[in-house]
Amino acid sequence: MPKLWNETIEAHRRAVHDAILDTTAALVAEHGLSSVTMSQIAEAAGIGRATLYKYFADVEAILVAWHERQIAGHLKHLAAVRDQAGDAGARLEAVLEAFALIAHEHPATELSALLHRGEHVARAQQHLRDFIRDLIAEGAEVGAFRDDVAADELARYCLHALTAAGSLPSKAAVRRLVAVTLAGLRPAR
């Protein structure tokens, strides 16, 4: 097949895949997790059930794929935030605030309980922990952060503390939590 034909087919497959993910997320948000069926998804996405089953085995598989896409987008966003900030301290502060705001905007739900148990989440958490660890280590090298505790332990501290942002009432409260968390990273003077 010509290259253009292959690219067109692949673009069509990506578009169908994305439509399935978006449709499923919208249906779950509207009707609840246990109310959504493969037939509803196919109808709402404008595809046949057979086509839907070529892409996904069940609703849970679609939701996991949707969640993987969401996580990838969050990680990409955090990398962009890091790349726009100045020195090591500013980069970590910007990333921690962005992470905490993501947690604040996506509080725990029945859907998140289902989706946060997969292997894809463990991989993403490890990636995020390594990402934060590297920023802390970079800052510790220039004296911005403490070096008497391993950077990996401090990364775990930050991520654990900032997951509380999901239950905070406002963005101002999230920013205060980030400030308190960063205070724990500063070296004793």
Side-chain angles (χ1 to χ4, degrees):
M1 276 188 269
K3 184 177 180 181
L4 180 60
W5 181 252
N6 285 339
E7 290 173 359
T8 302
I9 290 172
E10 186 56 36
H12 172 74
R13 287 182 180 141
R14 273 193 311 275
V16 170
H17 183 268
D18 288 345
I20 292 168
L21 300 184
D22 295 338
T23 299
T24 303
L27 287 170
V28 167
E30 183 180 344
H31 300 290
L33 181 59
S34 59
S35 298
V36 177
T37 66
M38 292 293 273
S39 294
Q40 288 174 313
I41 295 166
E43 183 180 338
I47 59 174
R49 284 182 46 213
T51 300
L52 178 59
Y53 281 104
K54 286 181 184 178
Y55 286 84
F56 297 100
D58 55 29
V59 175
E60 186 173 340
I62 299 170
L63 291 171
V64 168
W66 172 82
H67 193 237
E68 287 174 337
R69 184 179 70 176
Q70 295 296 105
I71 289 172
H74 293 323
L75 293 173
K76 185 177 178 180
H77 172 68
L78 293 175
V81 165
R82 174 202 59 204
D83 295 344
Q84 293 173 0
D87 64 12
R91 282 193 297 278
L92 181 63
E93 181 175 357
V95 167
L96 293 182
E97 182 172 320
F99 171 76
L101 288 170
I102 290 169
H104 177 69
E105 293 165 4
H106 299 89
T109 62
E110 176 188 13
L111 179 59
S112 64
L114 169 73
L115 297 176
H116 283 137
R117 63 185 174 154
E119 180 61 31
H120 71 286
V121 174
R123 284 190 308 272
Q125 288 172 336
Q126 183 63 50
H127 178 82
L128 182 59
R129 205 167 31 250
D130 293 347
F131 182 77
I132 301 297
R133 178 203 62 213
D134 293 347
L135 288 170
I136 292 170
E138 180 185 342
E141 286 178 12
V142 297
F145 305 123
R146 58 190 311 156
D147 61 4
D148 60 329
V149 177
D152 187 63
E153 292 176 27
L154 292 174
R156 290 171 189 270
Y157 153 75
C158 291
L159 293 172
H160 183 73
L162 295 175
T163 57
S167 63
L168 293 177
S170 68
K171 289 182 180 181
V174 170
R175 288 185 182 93
R176 288 191 296 273
L177 178 63
V178 171
V180 169
T181 304
L182 284 167
L185 300 178
R186 295 205 174 77
R189 302 255 182 220

